[in-house]
Amino acid sequence: MTSGSPNRGFDAGRLMSLPSLYHPSFEHDACGIGCIAHLDGKPTHGLIEDALRMLINMEHRGATGADPDTGDGAGILLQLCDPYFQDIAKEVGLELPEKGTYGVGMTFLPKDERLKRRCKSHILACCKELKFELIGYRKVPTRGRHAGIGITARNSEPAIEQVFVKSKEKLGSEVLERKLYVLRKRIALTLDEECQKDFHFASFSSQTIIYKGQLTTEQLKFFYSDLLDSRFKSAIGVVHSRFSTNTVPSWAMAQPFRYLAHNG
């Protein structure tokens, strides 16, 4: 601006009228997020059903690729339901300690058995290093093709297992959560490069758990049998329908993430 010329200020209308690559018609909302909670804190299976219904109603906020049966991603975060996990652990021959003293890792593992064994050996070593006892694993029941998931999602589908651990130290709930965070980071960051490619913790907590995948919103509840079990109850539910923008769809990049869900 030359000396003495008037300062016209910022003229948004004039800027919008200038020729450019931008036009308001190109703007689109992306991703869908939702949260539902019982104010009295009482967990019910009905809340999980309502959260999944809310997720399905946000299908238009998600996306698919050339394969219409492979979604960009969908997921749900729920409370860790102790009575339910005590029951399902017993069904696979495991015994969990009392509520609030153990953690559950929702784990995406390589399907290659050699790599899966290496991952589990590394998890065990990290548990010993950080004074955790590895209680055992449970293969998460999934329906795959019977849930209607597309060929693209099936080709990249990981082996999904829940790992149960407890601290060898007597810890309060907040300290246990912090130690589980450190354990998760230790495992993920020190895993060898060949294994890292197909390894991911969807969640690792003593308080919450996440079910997610490269799925459409409607496929999620049919893919994970746990979500249809009336014994599974929660007082909170956070859901996410993904529209991938600057990253490609994948099982690991589906949301919610371990602490949040976001829209773009």
Side-chain angles (χ1 to χ4, degrees), residues 185-240:
K185 297 292 284 186
R186 179 68 174 165
I187 292 168
L189 294 178
T190 58
L191 193 62
D192 69 75
E193 189 174 342
E194 188 179 13
C195 290
Q196 277 186 357
K197 182 184 173 204
D198 296 311
F199 181 88
H200 177 71
F201 280 120
S203 61
F204 206 158
S205 172
S206 62
Q207 300 177 12
T208 60
I209 190 162
I210 292 172
Y211 291 80
K212 69 176 187 177
Q214 195 175 341
L215 308 165
T216 67
T217 58
E218 191 167 8
Q219 290 168 354
L220 182 70
K221 74 173 183 178
F222 296 111
F223 182 78
Y224 288 110
S225 301
D226 285 357
L227 298 177
L228 298 175
D229 195 314
S230 61
R231 296 174 295 170
F232 196 173
K233 300 176 182 180
S234 179
I236 61 168
V238 178
V239 295
H240 188 279

Side-chain angles (χ1 to χ4, degrees), residues 1-257:
M1 184 170 62
T2 59
S3 176
S5 64
N7 184 355
R8 297 179 183 273
F10 177 73
D11 188 340
R14 180 173 177 273
L15 180 64
M16 294 288 285
S17 68
L18 295 174
S20 72
L21 295 176
Y22 171 81
H23 191 275
S25 64
F26 296 150
E27 288 192 356
H28 298 282
D29 289 330
C31 299
I33 56 175
C35 178
I36 185 171
H38 284 161
L39 296 182
D40 60 7
K42 182 180 179 181
T44 67
H45 184 69
L47 181 137
I48 298 176
E49 293 176 336
D50 289 343
L52 290 168
R53 188 176 302 114
M54 175 169 56
L55 176 64
I56 291 170
N57 288 337
M58 291 191 295
E59 175 64 20
H60 64 291
R61 301 299 295 273
T64 64
D67 174 4
D69 293 323
T70 295
D72 274 12
I76 185 169
L77 179 149
L78 300 166
Q79 284 180 310
L80 194 65
C81 180
D82 177 64
Y84 178 67
F85 281 93
Q86 294 283 355
D87 285 349
I88 61 175
K90 288 176 183 174
E91 291 170 6
V92 294
L94 302 176
E95 187 164 343
L96 300 182
E98 65 183 19
K99 178 182 179 181
T101 64
Y102 65 91
V104 182
M106 193 71 164
T107 316
F108 292 171
L109 293 160
K111 280 196 166 179
D112 180 280
E113 288 298 325
R114 178 182 63 88
L115 294 178
K116 186 193 293 186
R117 285 194 298 270
R118 270 179 31 199
C119 288
K120 289 187 174 182
S121 176
H122 181 69
I123 290 171
L124 178 60
C126 290
C127 283
K128 289 180 178 178
E129 181 184 349
L130 295 178
K131 298 181 180 179
F132 277 93
E133 177 186 336
L134 199 157
I135 300 169
Y137 289 86
R138 171 194 181 234
K139 184 177 179 181
V140 179
T142 59
R143 300 185 178 189
R145 185 174 302 183
H146 299 293
I149 72 171
I151 185 67
T152 307
R154 292 203 304 271
N155 287 343
S156 59
E157 179 187 348
I160 306 173
E161 298 189 27
Q162 287 158 345
V163 58
F164 300 91
V165 302
K166 68 176 180 180
S167 177
K168 294 179 181 178
E169 306 167 294
K170 191 171 183 180
L171 305 174
S173 59
E174 289 188 11
V175 178
L176 177 59
E177 277 295 287
R178 286 199 297 271
K179 283 208 67 175
L180 287 170
Y181 168 81
V182 173
L183 176 63
R184 173 176 65 77
K185 297 292 284 186
R186 179 68 174 165
I187 292 168
L189 294 178
T190 58
L191 193 62
D192 69 75
E193 189 174 342
E194 188 179 13
C195 290
Q196 277 186 357
K197 182 184 173 204
D198 296 311
F199 181 88
H200 177 71
F201 280 120
S203 61
F204 206 158
S205 172
S206 62
Q207 300 177 12
T208 60
I209 190 162
I210 292 172
Y211 291 80
K212 69 176 187 177
Q214 195 175 341
L215 308 165
T216 67
T217 58
E218 191 167 8
Q219 290 168 354
L220 182 70
K221 74 173 183 178
F222 296 111
F223 182 78
Y224 288 110
S225 301
D226 285 357
L227 298 177
L228 298 175
D229 195 314
S230 61
R231 296 174 295 170
F232 196 173
K233 300 176 182 180
S234 179
I236 61 168
V238 178
V239 295
H240 188 279
S241 171
R242 187 176 186 223
F243 188 106
S244 62
T245 50
N246 61 346
T247 55
V248 296
S250 70
W251 286 78
M253 291 297 290
Q255 296 185 38
F257 295 133

